[in-house]
Amino acid sequence: MFGREHDLPLSFASMLFNWHYKKNKRETCDHHNLSKKARMVIEENLVFDLAQIDFVQTSQDKTVKFLFRLRDGERVETVLIPFQKKYTVCLSTQVGCAMNCSFCHTGQQGFRRNLTADEITGQFVQVQNWLSENRPDDDRILNIVYMGQGEPLHNFDAVKKSAEIFLSQHGISLAGSKITISTSGYLPGLERWKNEMPNVNIALSLHSAFNEKRNILIPINRRFPLEQILNVVDAIPSGKKRFVTYEYLLVKGFNDSVEDAEATGRLLQGKKAYINLIPFNPVPGTQYQRPTDDHVLYFKGLLEKFKIPTTIRTTKGDQIMAACGQLNTRL
Ligand code: SAH
Ligand code: SF4
């Protein structure tokens, strides 16, 4: 489109993409070999600036938290999570979050604004640059998870565009199976995901099989109750249907009883479900507590009776407040 608009060959757009995402050229493109006209088009129309890394914190477990400063001075955090010599990068999609979940530090920050697609992909590019400079012996990033600050499906257009760039052969060339969008259950976005990008994995923050408990944890559940959300998730076109991850935050004495496990098991039994248990990570200002490790294992065992594969998310980065739900960039 862009090439046609400016009467340039179509290959021009894919070349720019390659420069920016594959060859990782910094600042502006390397202009040599380009016609004068192409150079002018670049200079007048395109910006290659990336969000700036303000601060980097590394934890003993090799998790890295990046504080980004955006063009307007707003800030977001991105987390690089190690797995052997490879990494998962956890991207933010909004400054703050409007969903106001009662257990989440980002939610406490309130909503400031949506990130643009380039601010989302820019986190990835900058983190990759940091890795090649600071840990050159490690392998590249393996997975992308939209699990940082913000509700990705509440910023659907920018998230979709960024995922398309990650998937594109001219961009990062990742398979859809390597990308996961985590949602609290924002129904309008979930409907769009089902129709527009079902090849990208979805993770639903379930946290309880009971609407009454979910209402307390995730206030948006009052508008979009669980049965409506599950209807959409269950309706992924069958050919494309793959396992859906159900994240289950475990809060001591709130949603960690035998009754909770059995209701969850019954709800997900027979679905292509995979449960990821996330023991609550402490954040300031909540009464919630984390169950003991033994209790988490016990809860896992209860779920496995329903033959649902269940894993416990190991806490990484909590030493630097980079674990799930601990991100907060209020000035
Ligand atoms: N907004 C999206 C993605 C970002 S949050 C969502 O809610 O799914 C990523 C995950 O971290 C979600 O499953 C969320 O419920 C979880 N989380 C938030 N705060 C947490 C906390 N204090 N301890 C453990 N997990 C938390
Ligand atoms: Fe937003 Fe997710 Fe935090 Fe809820 S858990 S406030 S949806 S970032």
Side-chain angles (χ1 to χ4, degrees):
M1 291 290 262
F2 182 77
R4 259 190 225 135
E5 234 170 70
H6 295 277
D7 200 20
L8 289 164
L10 274 178
S11 57
F12 182 65
S14 54
M15 184 178 67
L16 290 178
F17 249 73
N18 269 298
W19 264 339
H20 193 54
Y21 291 106
K22 289 238 175 68
K23 303 213 165 100
N24 236 337
K25 297 265 185 235
R26 308 288 180 78
E27 324 253 318
T28 52
C29 278
D30 185 345
H31 290 184
H32 67 268
N33 283 342
L34 283 181
S35 67
K36 202 167 163 195
K37 179 167 182 203
R39 244 176 280 157
M40 255 176 58
V41 169
I42 291 181
E43 263 145 41
E44 285 170 11
N45 296 281
L46 300 178
V47 179
F48 288 87
D49 294 351
L50 291 167
Q52 289 308 304
I53 298 176
D54 236 14
F55 194 60
V56 181
Q57 260 180 303
T58 21
S59 128
Q60 270 163 10
D61 63 18
K62 282 185 84 186
T63 301
V64 190
K65 182 166 86 169
F66 299 86
L67 180 67
F68 280 96
R69 181 175 290 276
L70 308 174
R71 283 176 205 111
D72 59 357
E74 292 286 7
R75 301 195 288 181
V76 288
E77 288 170 328
T78 307
V79 183
L80 190 58
I81 306 154
F83 178 69
Q84 291 159 356
K85 280 191 151 195
K86 293 198 164 76
Y87 292 89
T88 293
V89 65
C90 176
L91 301 177
S92 288
T93 54
Q94 297 180 316
V95 182
C97 184
M99 302 297 131
N100 200 19
C101 300
S102 56
F103 49 84
C104 173
H105 211 198
T106 305
Q108 292 169 357
Q109 193 181 337
F111 175 71
R112 305 270 301 179
R113 75 164 170 86
N114 280 328
L115 296 196
T116 57
D118 74 288
E119 286 170 336
I120 301 172
T121 55
Q123 295 167 58
F124 178 92
V125 173
Q126 289 287 50
V127 166
Q128 227 179 14
N129 289 338
W130 183 92
L131 258 183
S132 52
E133 274 165 28
N134 294 279
R135 295 183 184 168
D137 296 335
D138 286 6
D139 290 338
R140 291 159 61 96
I141 294 162
L142 183 67
N143 291 310
I144 293 179
V145 294
Y146 289 83
M147 292 188 189
Q149 286 161 294
E151 166 51 51
L153 297 185
H154 190 222
N155 181 16
F156 192 87
D157 288 326
V159 165
K160 180 181 172 191
K161 197 166 174 187
S162 67
E164 282 170 349
I165 292 171
F166 293 135
L167 292 167
S168 161
Q169 53 165 317
H170 304 298
I172 306 296
S173 297
L174 269 187
S177 57
K178 303 281 183 203
I179 303 177
T180 302
I181 294 177
S182 173
T183 180
S184 57
Y186 181 68
L187 192 64
L190 204 51
E191 296 268 13
R192 286 194 64 190
W193 162 77
K194 183 192 77 180
N195 297 325
E196 297 177 40
M197 48 193 308
N199 55 333
V200 168
N201 294 322
I202 204 86
L204 176 68
S205 293
L206 179 67
H207 306 346
S208 177
F210 301 113
N211 274 317
E212 311 78 64
K213 291 192 183 184
R214 239 183 148 252
N215 287 343
I216 294 170
L217 295 170
I218 308 173
I220 192 80
N221 191 68
R222 293 195 193 111
R223 249 173 90 197
F224 308 122
L226 194 49
E227 50 285 2
Q228 289 184 22
I229 297 166
L230 292 177
N231 273 344
V232 179
V233 174
D234 288 344
I236 311 166
S238 59
K240 291 183 177 145
K241 189 160 180 171
R242 59 167 80 107
F243 277 74
V244 171
T245 303
Y246 294 87
E247 293 157 294
Y248 194 103
L249 170 84
L250 272 171
V251 178
K252 184 178 174 181
F254 184 80
N255 63 352
D256 64 345
S257 67
V258 174
E259 197 197 0
D260 288 304
E262 287 180 347
T264 305
R266 278 195 301 273
L267 187 72
L268 301 182
Q269 203 170 29
K271 297 187 199 290
K272 281 190 156 182
Y274 169 91
I275 299 178
N276 197 208
L277 296 174
I278 319 176
F280 172 68
N281 292 312
V283 298
T286 71
Q287 306 287 313
Y288 297 137
Q289 287 176 0
R290 184 185 179 95
T292 62
D293 290 351
D294 281 350
H295 190 78
V296 174
L297 277 174
Y298 171 67
F299 196 86
K300 178 175 185 279
L302 292 172
L303 287 170
E304 280 167 349
K305 287 192 190 143
F306 291 85
K307 308 226 174 325
I308 306 170
T310 303
T311 52
I312 299 168
R313 189 173 297 175
T314 43
T315 303
K316 292 216 167 144
D318 54 333
Q319 189 204 357
I320 52 171
M321 287 291 279
C324 285
Q326 292 185 319
L327 304 181
N328 185 307
T329 44
R330 190 165 34 206
L331 294 172

